[in-house]
Amino acid sequence: MNDIPAVLSTVDPPTRACCDRAPTPGMLHAFEQFNRGEYFEQHETLEWIWRAETDTTIRNFYKGILQVGVGFHHLRKGNYNGVIKVLGRGINYLKPYAPACYGVDVARLIEEASAVYWRVRDKGRLETRDLEMELPQVHLVRESRLKEVRMEYQTLPALRVGEHVRKITFEEYLALEDQGVQTEWVNGEVRVYMPVSVKHQQLVNFLDRVLGMFVELLGLGIVLTDRIVMRALVNVAREPDLIFLSQQNRERLKATHLAGAADFVVEIVSDESVGRDRADKFYEYEEIGVREYLIIDPRQGKQRVDYFGLDDSGKYQPILADQEDKFHSRVIPGFWFRKEWLLQENLPDALDCLAEIRGLNDSEIQILRRLLTGAK
Amino acid sequence: MAYIIAEPCVDVKDASCVAVCPVDCIHGGPEDNMLYINPDECIDCGACAPECPVSAIFPEDQVPEQWREYIQMNYAYFGKTK
């Protein structure tokens, strides 16, 4: 088979360490979208993951699959130039990752996608729209779908020093905590993250005061921040920015970590965390049954709040604001918030917000403030 | 439909958009005074628009009136007519 003309200038060579890893839930979700022919959607999911990936040796792997899918999207629309450019580029991106990477049978995808590329090229521009062919799917090398991935890590060896990756057990991970940095434990590997911004800390602190006081006053449960470790899947432990655990689930809280799902989780998005927050954690939290997930993106130009609740089938559905622009929680009875509270440059006064949630009017808030401050 | 880069990009070429485009459809060489989006490659995801420091990128049907000519210029750069 002829080589597809290269359009890439430089590609960082991949390291085998990445390629030995199991796919994350976010990736598996993207592959399922790809295989269902949801090519625009797979591009969105992989785009989040690609943008968040800081390891330059692996970024082109996501881009390769993403662009092969976008090439198929263009093919469906009869866009000959789009197929030739983007599908060809995607295939070339994938080549350094063959035969397999992150559990994906890369060699097979390259071969099958190349067949599509050459067929389109041979038929030419005018026939692109009428081409009917079955499009390739993303296959996993070993049948390492999510369930098997989890099984694999059910019983982690006490300490495995691999060629590239040193895997540790959950207990060892917990013992590593308290070193003053944010870490998470994924597939037995410890990931260390960058310190958070001041804006991030202010948002967590604001929510902690408003929601923390709210649930304490009404005896609904507990709010925790400060890098509480939550065991998400068997092989994954996360440190959400803020969690609420209801009174009836209090037994999940152990001395060192939360064993199971929180009832409500907040993640605040940064450039570095966007893929984890929007893809990996979204599906993990859904899977383990975090009943509500609030994603706040305070970055310039983004300014988004996305709020999800589990439906009856255990899938996240967006929770929308009511006519007064209030977002009502279903797991924290009586609690609601406004999007503007979370996105304004200077965060509002926590006491005012708490009083407003509890239905106090302006003069009552004034009285409360006077009582608390001792002012006349 | 595609996204279109308009006048604010001229002589700026910040290229923040290039780094976030997942399909590599934003082009422009050293001899060009601005960047261009290939309408055949673009998947209309809009990832580039908020990254532009001079707000030069618009969906094709929302290009401000005074910069409508840039639609044709973007197409022409890739040898196409609108």
Side-chain angles (χ1 to χ4, degrees), chain B residues 12-40:
Chain B
V12 176
K13 283 177 73 179
D14 174 83
S16 298
C17 54
V18 176
V20 300
C21 175
V23 296
D24 305 317
C25 69
I26 306 176
H27 303 267
E31 69 285 2
D32 299 312
N33 65 354
M34 64 175 282
L35 298 165
Y36 300 91
I37 294 177
N38 186 329
D40 285 331

PDB file of all heavy atoms in Angstrom, chain B residues 12-40:
ATOM      1  N   VAL B  12      -1.357  40.659  13.510  1.00  0.00           N
ATOM      2  CA  VAL B  12      -1.304  40.185  14.905  1.00  0.00           C
ATOM      3  C   VAL B  12      -0.794  38.742  14.908  1.00  0.00           C
ATOM      4  O   VAL B  12       0.243  38.440  15.488  1.00  0.00           O
ATOM      5  CB  VAL B  12      -2.672  40.283  15.602  1.00  0.00           C
ATOM      6  CG1 VAL B  12      -2.594  39.685  17.004  1.00  0.00           C
ATOM      7  CG2 VAL B  12      -3.140  41.729  15.678  1.00  0.00           C
ATOM      8  N   LYS B  13      -1.541  37.869  14.213  1.00  0.00           N
ATOM      9  CA  LYS B  13      -1.127  36.457  14.066  1.00  0.00           C
ATOM     10  C   LYS B  13      -0.630  35.845  15.378  1.00  0.00           C
ATOM     11  O   LYS B  13       0.451  35.272  15.437  1.00  0.00           O
ATOM     12  CB  LYS B  13      -0.026  36.341  12.998  1.00  0.00           C
ATOM     13  CG  LYS B  13      -0.551  36.423  11.598  1.00  0.00           C
ATOM     14  CD  LYS B  13       0.568  36.384  10.571  1.00  0.00           C
ATOM     15  CE  LYS B  13       1.183  35.014  10.429  1.00  0.00           C
ATOM     16  NZ  LYS B  13       2.243  34.989   9.406  1.00  0.00           N
ATOM     17  N   ASP B  14      -1.424  36.012  16.394  1.00  0.00           N
ATOM     18  CA  ASP B  14      -1.026  35.512  17.723  1.00  0.00           C
ATOM     19  C   ASP B  14      -0.874  33.990  17.734  1.00  0.00           C
ATOM     20  O   ASP B  14      -0.028  33.438  18.428  1.00  0.00           O
ATOM     21  CB  ASP B  14      -2.099  35.947  18.735  1.00  0.00           C
ATOM     22  CG  ASP B  14      -1.874  35.360  20.089  1.00  0.00           C
ATOM     23  OD1 ASP B  14      -1.067  35.938  20.831  1.00  0.00           O
ATOM     24  OD2 ASP B  14      -2.486  34.314  20.418  1.00  0.00           O
ATOM     25  N   ALA B  15      -1.729  33.311  16.944  1.00  0.00           N
ATOM     26  CA  ALA B  15      -1.672  31.852  16.750  1.00  0.00           C
ATOM     27  C   ALA B  15      -2.083  31.028  17.967  1.00  0.00           C
ATOM     28  O   ALA B  15      -1.881  29.818  17.984  1.00  0.00           O
ATOM     29  CB  ALA B  15      -0.299  31.408  16.248  1.00  0.00           C
ATOM     30  N   SER B  16      -2.698  31.663  18.967  1.00  0.00           N
ATOM     31  CA  SER B  16      -3.249  30.869  20.077  1.00  0.00           C
ATOM     32  C   SER B  16      -4.276  29.866  19.540  1.00  0.00           C
ATOM     33  O   SER B  16      -4.431  28.776  20.077  1.00  0.00           O
ATOM     34  CB  SER B  16      -3.965  31.770  21.090  1.00  0.00           C
ATOM     35  OG  SER B  16      -3.078  32.678  21.645  1.00  0.00           O
ATOM     36  N   CYS B  17      -4.996  30.280  18.493  1.00  0.00           N
ATOM     37  CA  CYS B  17      -6.021  29.419  17.900  1.00  0.00           C
ATOM     38  C   CYS B  17      -5.412  28.144  17.329  1.00  0.00           C
ATOM     39  O   CYS B  17      -6.008  27.068  17.402  1.00  0.00           O
ATOM     40  CB  CYS B  17      -6.771  30.171  16.808  1.00  0.00           C
ATOM     41  SG  CYS B  17      -5.683  30.867  15.546  1.00  0.00           S
ATOM     42  N   VAL B  18      -4.221  28.268  16.745  1.00  0.00           N
ATOM     43  CA  VAL B  18      -3.599  27.107  16.098  1.00  0.00           C
ATOM     44  C   VAL B  18      -3.348  26.001  17.123  1.00  0.00           C
ATOM     45  O   VAL B  18      -3.579  24.827  16.877  1.00  0.00           O
ATOM     46  CB  VAL B  18      -2.267  27.518  15.412  1.00  0.00           C
ATOM     47  CG1 VAL B  18      -1.577  26.301  14.816  1.00  0.00           C
ATOM     48  CG2 VAL B  18      -2.534  28.573  14.352  1.00  0.00           C
ATOM     49  N   ALA B  19      -2.931  26.428  18.320  1.00  0.00           N
ATOM     50  CA  ALA B  19      -2.584  25.455  19.356  1.00  0.00           C
ATOM     51  C   ALA B  19      -3.795  24.692  19.880  1.00  0.00           C
ATOM     52  O   ALA B  19      -3.642  23.594  20.409  1.00  0.00           O
ATOM     53  CB  ALA B  19      -1.871  26.162  20.504  1.00  0.00           C
ATOM     54  N   VAL B  20      -4.993  25.271  19.758  1.00  0.00           N
ATOM     55  CA  VAL B  20      -6.165  24.585  20.317  1.00  0.00           C
ATOM     56  C   VAL B  20      -7.020  23.898  19.261  1.00  0.00           C
ATOM     57  O   VAL B  20      -7.994  23.234  19.603  1.00  0.00           O
ATOM     58  CB  VAL B  20      -7.071  25.541  21.130  1.00  0.00           C
ATOM     59  CG1 VAL B  20      -6.293  26.141  22.302  1.00  0.00           C
ATOM     60  CG2 VAL B  20      -7.656  26.629  20.250  1.00  0.00           C
ATOM     61  N   CYS B  21      -6.669  24.058  17.990  1.00  0.00           N
ATOM     62  CA  CYS B  21      -7.506  23.452  16.947  1.00  0.00           C
ATOM     63  C   CYS B  21      -7.208  21.952  16.862  1.00  0.00           C
ATOM     64  O   CYS B  21      -6.095  21.566  16.493  1.00  0.00           O
ATOM     65  CB  CYS B  21      -7.256  24.097  15.594  1.00  0.00           C
ATOM     66  SG  CYS B  21      -8.185  23.251  14.292  1.00  0.00           S
ATOM     67  N   PRO B  22      -8.199  21.109  17.168  1.00  0.00           N
ATOM     68  CA  PRO B  22      -7.935  19.671  17.190  1.00  0.00           C
ATOM     69  C   PRO B  22      -7.790  19.068  15.794  1.00  0.00           C
ATOM     70  O   PRO B  22      -7.301  17.957  15.658  1.00  0.00           O
ATOM     71  CB  PRO B  22      -9.156  19.095  17.903  1.00  0.00           C
ATOM     72  CG  PRO B  22     -10.242  20.068  17.640  1.00  0.00           C
ATOM     73  CD  PRO B  22      -9.578  21.420  17.560  1.00  0.00           C
ATOM     74  N   VAL B  23      -8.239  19.791  14.747  1.00  0.00           N
ATOM     75  CA  VAL B  23      -8.121  19.213  13.405  1.00  0.00           C
ATOM     76  C   VAL B  23      -7.058  19.928  12.560  1.00  0.00           C
ATOM     77  O   VAL B  23      -6.949  19.677  11.364  1.00  0.00           O
ATOM     78  CB  VAL B  23      -9.480  19.176  12.650  1.00  0.00           C
ATOM     79  CG1 VAL B  23     -10.453  18.271  13.362  1.00  0.00           C
ATOM     80  CG2 VAL B  23     -10.072  20.554  12.480  1.00  0.00           C
ATOM     81  N   ASP B  24      -6.273  20.797  13.174  1.00  0.00           N
ATOM     82  CA  ASP B  24      -5.167  21.487  12.475  1.00  0.00           C
ATOM     83  C   ASP B  24      -5.621  22.198  11.210  1.00  0.00           C
ATOM     84  O   ASP B  24      -4.962  22.098  10.173  1.00  0.00           O
ATOM     85  CB  ASP B  24      -4.057  20.477  12.082  1.00  0.00           C
ATOM     86  CG  ASP B  24      -3.540  19.688  13.267  1.00  0.00           C
ATOM     87  OD1 ASP B  24      -3.333  20.298  14.321  1.00  0.00           O
ATOM     88  OD2 ASP B  24      -3.348  18.467  13.138  1.00  0.00           O
ATOM     89  N   CYS B  25      -6.750  22.887  11.275  1.00  0.00           N
ATOM     90  CA  CYS B  25      -7.264  23.477  10.031  1.00  0.00           C
ATOM     91  C   CYS B  25      -6.923  24.957   9.897  1.00  0.00           C
ATOM     92  O   CYS B  25      -7.367  25.607   8.964  1.00  0.00           O
ATOM     93  CB  CYS B  25      -8.771  23.247   9.908  1.00  0.00           C
ATOM     94  SG  CYS B  25      -9.754  24.158  11.076  1.00  0.00           S
ATOM     95  N   ILE B  26      -6.141  25.517  10.849  1.00  0.00           N
ATOM     96  CA  ILE B  26      -5.803  26.938  10.753  1.00  0.00           C
ATOM     97  C   ILE B  26      -4.401  27.062  10.154  1.00  0.00           C
ATOM     98  O   ILE B  26      -3.442  26.507  10.690  1.00  0.00           O
ATOM     99  CB  ILE B  26      -5.895  27.616  12.123  1.00  0.00           C
ATOM    100  CG1 ILE B  26      -7.282  27.355  12.722  1.00  0.00           C
ATOM    101  CG2 ILE B  26      -5.607  29.115  12.006  1.00  0.00           C
ATOM    102  CD1 ILE B  26      -7.489  27.874  14.115  1.00  0.00           C
ATOM    103  N   HIS B  27      -4.327  27.755   9.030  1.00  0.00           N
ATOM    104  CA  HIS B  27      -3.081  27.801   8.265  1.00  0.00           C
ATOM    105  C   HIS B  27      -2.622  29.238   8.053  1.00  0.00           C
ATOM    106  O   HIS B  27      -3.376  30.180   8.242  1.00  0.00           O
ATOM    107  CB  HIS B  27      -3.281  27.128   6.904  1.00  0.00           C
ATOM    108  CG  HIS B  27      -3.765  25.717   6.997  1.00  0.00           C
ATOM    109  ND1 HIS B  27      -2.920  24.634   7.010  1.00  0.00           N
ATOM    110  CD2 HIS B  27      -5.016  25.206   7.116  1.00  0.00           C
ATOM    111  CE1 HIS B  27      -3.633  23.516   7.109  1.00  0.00           C
ATOM    112  NE2 HIS B  27      -4.914  23.840   7.177  1.00  0.00           N
ATOM    113  N   GLY B  28      -1.397  29.359   7.591  1.00  0.00           N
ATOM    114  CA  GLY B  28      -0.835  30.677   7.269  1.00  0.00           C
ATOM    115  C   GLY B  28       0.671  30.596   7.376  1.00  0.00           C
ATOM    116  O   GLY B  28       1.191  30.099   8.373  1.00  0.00           O
ATOM    117  N   GLY B  29       1.346  31.036   6.340  1.00  0.00           N
ATOM    118  CA  GLY B  29       2.802  30.960   6.336  1.00  0.00           C
ATOM    119  C   GLY B  29       3.418  32.278   6.764  1.00  0.00           C
ATOM    120  O   GLY B  29       2.696  33.254   7.017  1.00  0.00           O
ATOM    121  N   PRO B  30       4.755  32.313   6.848  1.00  0.00           N
ATOM    122  CA  PRO B  30       5.443  33.526   7.272  1.00  0.00           C
ATOM    123  C   PRO B  30       5.169  34.702   6.333  1.00  0.00           C
ATOM    124  O   PRO B  30       5.228  35.854   6.741  1.00  0.00           O
ATOM    125  CB  PRO B  30       6.926  33.140   7.233  1.00  0.00           C
ATOM    126  CG  PRO B  30       7.016  31.811   6.594  1.00  0.00           C
ATOM    127  CD  PRO B  30       5.662  31.198   6.590  1.00  0.00           C
ATOM    128  N   GLU B  31       4.828  34.410   5.064  1.00  0.00           N
ATOM    129  CA  GLU B  31       4.587  35.493   4.114  1.00  0.00           C
ATOM    130  C   GLU B  31       3.183  36.079   4.252  1.00  0.00           C
ATOM    131  O   GLU B  31       2.894  37.138   3.683  1.00  0.00           O
ATOM    132  CB  GLU B  31       4.824  34.990   2.676  1.00  0.00           C
ATOM    133  CG  GLU B  31       3.809  33.964   2.144  1.00  0.00           C
ATOM    134  CD  GLU B  31       3.992  32.548   2.746  1.00  0.00           C
ATOM    135  OE1 GLU B  31       4.890  32.373   3.603  1.00  0.00           O
ATOM    136  OE2 GLU B  31       3.228  31.649   2.376  1.00  0.00           O
ATOM    137  N   ASP B  32       2.316  35.413   4.996  1.00  0.00           N
ATOM    138  CA  ASP B  32       0.947  35.913   5.145  1.00  0.00           C
ATOM    139  C   ASP B  32       0.876  36.874   6.330  1.00  0.00           C
ATOM    140  O   ASP B  32       1.569  36.676   7.326  1.00  0.00           O
ATOM    141  CB  ASP B  32      -0.026  34.748   5.408  1.00  0.00           C
ATOM    142  CG  ASP B  32      -0.028  33.767   4.248  1.00  0.00           C
ATOM    143  OD1 ASP B  32      -0.138  34.223   3.102  1.00  0.00           O
ATOM    144  OD2 ASP B  32       0.113  32.554   4.504  1.00  0.00           O
ATOM    145  N   ASN B  33      -0.006  37.883   6.239  1.00  0.00           N
ATOM    146  CA  ASN B  33      -0.117  38.803   7.368  1.00  0.00           C
ATOM    147  C   ASN B  33      -1.252  38.440   8.325  1.00  0.00           C
ATOM    148  O   ASN B  33      -1.527  39.148   9.282  1.00  0.00           O
ATOM    149  CB  ASN B  33      -0.231  40.259   6.889  1.00  0.00           C
ATOM    150  CG  ASN B  33      -1.519  40.484   6.116  1.00  0.00           C
ATOM    151  OD1 ASN B  33      -2.263  39.531   5.848  1.00  0.00           O
ATOM    152  ND2 ASN B  33      -1.779  41.728   5.760  1.00  0.00           N
ATOM    153  N   MET B  34      -1.930  37.331   8.030  1.00  0.00           N
ATOM    154  CA  MET B  34      -2.955  36.832   8.959  1.00  0.00           C
ATOM    155  C   MET B  34      -3.074  35.313   8.798  1.00  0.00           C
ATOM    156  O   MET B  34      -2.396  34.725   7.953  1.00  0.00           O
ATOM    157  CB  MET B  34      -4.308  37.504   8.705  1.00  0.00           C
ATOM    158  CG  MET B  34      -4.897  37.197   7.331  1.00  0.00           C
ATOM    159  SD  MET B  34      -6.568  37.877   7.101  1.00  0.00           S
ATOM    160  CE  MET B  34      -7.561  36.696   8.009  1.00  0.00           C
ATOM    161  N   LEU B  35      -3.932  34.709   9.624  1.00  0.00           N
ATOM    162  CA  LEU B  35      -4.144  33.261   9.532  1.00  0.00           C
ATOM    163  C   LEU B  35      -5.490  32.998   8.849  1.00  0.00           C
ATOM    164  O   LEU B  35      -6.371  33.864   8.826  1.00  0.00           O
ATOM    165  CB  LEU B  35      -4.131  32.641  10.935  1.00  0.00           C
ATOM    166  CG  LEU B  35      -2.808  32.805  11.689  1.00  0.00           C
ATOM    167  CD1 LEU B  35      -3.004  32.500  13.170  1.00  0.00           C
ATOM    168  CD2 LEU B  35      -1.740  31.893  11.095  1.00  0.00           C
ATOM    169  N   TYR B  36      -5.633  31.800   8.306  1.00  0.00           N
ATOM    170  CA  TYR B  36      -6.854  31.441   7.585  1.00  0.00           C
ATOM    171  C   TYR B  36      -7.332  30.058   8.020  1.00  0.00           C
ATOM    172  O   TYR B  36      -6.519  29.180   8.309  1.00  0.00           O
ATOM    173  CB  TYR B  36      -6.586  31.404   6.077  1.00  0.00           C
ATOM    174  CG  TYR B  36      -6.110  32.715   5.517  1.00  0.00           C
ATOM    175  CD1 TYR B  36      -4.744  32.996   5.453  1.00  0.00           C
ATOM    176  CD2 TYR B  36      -7.012  33.672   5.059  1.00  0.00           C
ATOM    177  CE1 TYR B  36      -4.291  34.209   4.942  1.00  0.00           C
ATOM    178  CE2 TYR B  36      -6.564  34.885   4.546  1.00  0.00           C
ATOM    179  CZ  TYR B  36      -5.209  35.143   4.485  1.00  0.00           C
ATOM    180  OH  TYR B  36      -4.761  36.328   3.988  1.00  0.00           O
ATOM    181  N   ILE B  37      -8.667  29.880   8.021  1.00  0.00           N
ATOM    182  CA  ILE B  37      -9.245  28.580   8.382  1.00  0.00           C
ATOM    183  C   ILE B  37      -9.691  27.876   7.105  1.00  0.00           C
ATOM    184  O   ILE B  37     -10.460  28.443   6.319  1.00  0.00           O
ATOM    185  CB  ILE B  37     -10.430  28.761   9.345  1.00  0.00           C
ATOM    186  CG1 ILE B  37      -9.923  29.320  10.678  1.00  0.00           C
ATOM    187  CG2 ILE B  37     -11.166  27.435   9.554  1.00  0.00           C
ATOM    188  CD1 ILE B  37     -11.001  29.620  11.693  1.00  0.00           C
ATOM    189  N   ASN B  38      -9.229  26.646   6.927  1.00  0.00           N
ATOM    190  CA  ASN B  38      -9.624  25.888   5.749  1.00  0.00           C
ATOM    191  C   ASN B  38     -11.056  25.384   5.922  1.00  0.00           C
ATOM    192  O   ASN B  38     -11.321  24.542   6.786  1.00  0.00           O
ATOM    193  CB  ASN B  38      -8.667  24.709   5.545  1.00  0.00           C
ATOM    194  CG  ASN B  38      -8.964  23.972   4.239  1.00  0.00           C
ATOM    195  OD1 ASN B  38     -10.103  23.922   3.785  1.00  0.00           O
ATOM    196  ND2 ASN B  38      -7.917  23.421   3.641  1.00  0.00           N
ATOM    197  N   PRO B  39     -11.984  25.885   5.112  1.00  0.00           N
ATOM    198  CA  PRO B  39     -13.403  25.530   5.310  1.00  0.00           C
ATOM    199  C   PRO B  39     -13.690  24.048   5.078  1.00  0.00           C
ATOM    200  O   PRO B  39     -14.670  23.524   5.605  1.00  0.00           O
ATOM    201  CB  PRO B  39     -14.145  26.410   4.300  1.00  0.00           C
ATOM    202  CG  PRO B  39     -13.115  26.814   3.295  1.00  0.00           C
ATOM    203  CD  PRO B  39     -11.792  26.811   3.992  1.00  0.00           C
ATOM    204  N   ASP B  40     -12.838  23.371   4.315  1.00  0.00           N
ATOM    205  CA  ASP B  40     -13.050  21.937   4.076  1.00  0.00           C
ATOM    206  C   ASP B  40     -12.655  21.100   5.293  1.00  0.00           C
ATOM    207  O   ASP B  40     -13.193  20.025   5.517  1.00  0.00           O
ATOM    208  CB  ASP B  40     -12.224  21.455   2.883  1.00  0.00           C
ATOM    209  CG  ASP B  40     -12.838  21.904   1.572  1.00  0.00           C
ATOM    210  OD1 ASP B  40     -14.069  22.070   1.535  1.00  0.00           O
ATOM    211  OD2 ASP B  40     -12.075  22.091   0.603  1.00  0.00           O
TER     212      ASP B  40
END
